[in-house]
Amino acid sequence: MSSPSPVARSTDPKVILVTGASSGIGLQTALDLLKQGHIVYGCARRIERMEPIRAAGGHVLALDVSDDDSMCDAVDELLYSEGRIDVLINNAGFATYGAVEDISMDTARHQIEVNILGPARMTQLVLPQMRKQKSGRIINISSIGGTIHTPLGAWYHGTKFFVEGFTNAMRLEVEDKGIFMVLIAPGFIDTGFSGVLAKELDRNEKAPAYKPLYDALRHTNATPGSPPSVISKVISRAISDVKPKTVYRAGKYSKLLYLLRRTLPHRMFDGMMLSMLK
Ligand SMILES: NC(=O)c1ccc[n+]([C@@H]2O[C@H](COP(=O)([O-])OP(=O)(O)OC[C@H]3O[C@@H](n4cnc5c(N)ncnc54)[C@H](OP(=O)(O)O)[C@@H]3O)[C@@H](O)[C@H]2O)c1
């Protein structure tokens, strides 16, 4: 039997914008892509944290994905300097966790702005140039949380379910224009994510009725995950594969939980998740 043919890969240098490049997955990805010879623009609010990107020969831009002017400025600056954009990596994001009853609408709105409207707007801003080039890739960092659900995570899961639906729908609009839409679904990864989530639990907790769930989530949130390099590697593949997959799953529990969610009936999956939190 002949062995399967290897996936065709491209090593041409690309112009790449990475959001959320001041920490975790985004920082690791920016540094790895620079090592591969790409032209990388790391973007985030905390520009001082992106010094390693600058030191490695990359560019850094201030970007707040909940601020329209900031997004327009970042994309304009990149296009002015490079005249093209090959890859947008929509990675910036965070998880607000807490009971739906406890989370204020302002907190919910901010979660939606950062995880949904930010990447959607960045996508809008790069599309005209990518269409002109007749090529481009938009890589959206979703989560295993875009397929499964956990208690106290309703707003976060809602945003990642959106990212999946939005990315899949957009593929039907733009693939015939040479633009690939790719989803990355990380499992548990060791980054700044769990520290932010822990703060959100403390900030949002109000109604005593949910205390056992808050305590269980605090415990689960402290479980170690995979290193961010595991995700950076699949992002690199999504860039170099001549025809990228529509979704790449990687990191602790990502494939296992996906399989269980797809095979178990709803209530059996619910029971399993609740028992994992005890
Ligand atoms: N870690 C995990 O277990 C895990 C699992 C599944 C999916 N993910 C997803 O992976 C992505 C990256 O998270 P991470 O794990 O690397 O966490 P992280 O270390 O906390 O990094 C989050 C990044 O998002 C940026 N960010 C947050 N709010 C922003 C805003 N308003 N404007 C611009 N940038 C903003 C942060 O930069 P500034 O604060 O400097 O702006 C930071 O660079 C997120 O979309 C997350 O949902 C993570």
Side-chain angles (χ1 to χ4, degrees), residues 20-26 43-46 63-66 91-94 110 114-115 141-144 156 160 186-193 196:
S22 62
S23 170
I25 293 170
C43 305
R45 292 168 303 178
R46 293 170 297 174
L63 172 70
D64 182 342
V65 297
S66 65
N91 165 73
F94 76 104
H110 186 59
V114 174
N115 287 16
I141 312 303
S142 174
S143 169
I144 180 56
Y156 178 66
K160 292 301 187 182
F188 293 24
I189 312 297
D190 286 333
T191 64
F193 184 85
V196 173

Side-chain angles (χ1 to χ4, degrees), residues 224-244:
S226 306
S229 56
V230 166
I231 302 305
S232 147
K233 247 180 227 146
V234 292
I235 294 175
S236 294
R237 276 189 39 212
I239 292 169
S240 63
D241 286 351
V242 169
K243 182 160 188 197

Side-chain angles (χ1 to χ4, degrees), residues 138-269:
I138 297 170
I139 299 179
N140 288 336
I141 312 303
S142 174
S143 169
I144 180 56
T147 302
I148 66 150
H149 46 275
T150 54
L152 308 192
W155 285 109
Y156 178 66
H157 290 295
T159 65
K160 292 301 187 182
F161 274 66
F162 173 95
V163 169
E164 304 232 340
F166 186 83
T167 307
N168 288 329
M170 264 201 69
R171 191 167 51 252
L172 308 180
E173 286 177 26
V174 299
E175 206 167 87
D176 67 343
K177 296 165 184 63
I179 301 165
F180 287 112
M181 299 297 300
V182 179
L183 276 165
I184 308 284
F188 293 24
I189 312 297
D190 286 333
T191 64
F193 184 85
S194 58
V196 173
L197 196 157
K199 278 194 197 135
E200 290 290 305
L201 283 170
D202 291 348
R203 192 169 69 91
N204 291 325
E205 183 171 6
K206 288 179 197 82
Y210 302 100
K211 185 169 179 2
L213 283 177
Y214 277 96
D215 289 344
L217 253 299
R218 283 187 182 99
H219 182 72
T220 313
N221 185 40
T223 310
S226 306
S229 56
V230 166
I231 302 305
S232 147
K233 247 180 227 146
V234 292
I235 294 175
S236 294
R237 276 189 39 212
I239 292 169
S240 63
D241 286 351
V242 169
K243 182 160 188 197
K245 295 202 284 186
T246 55
V247 54
Y248 294 78
R249 299 183 187 284
K252 193 169 180 184
Y253 300 142
S254 180
K255 288 177 184 159
L256 175 66
L257 285 175
Y258 177 76
L259 183 73
L260 290 168
R261 180 69 188 96
R262 286 283 168 250
T263 48
L264 294 180
H266 279 237
R267 287 197 196 288
M268 204 180 278
F269 186 85

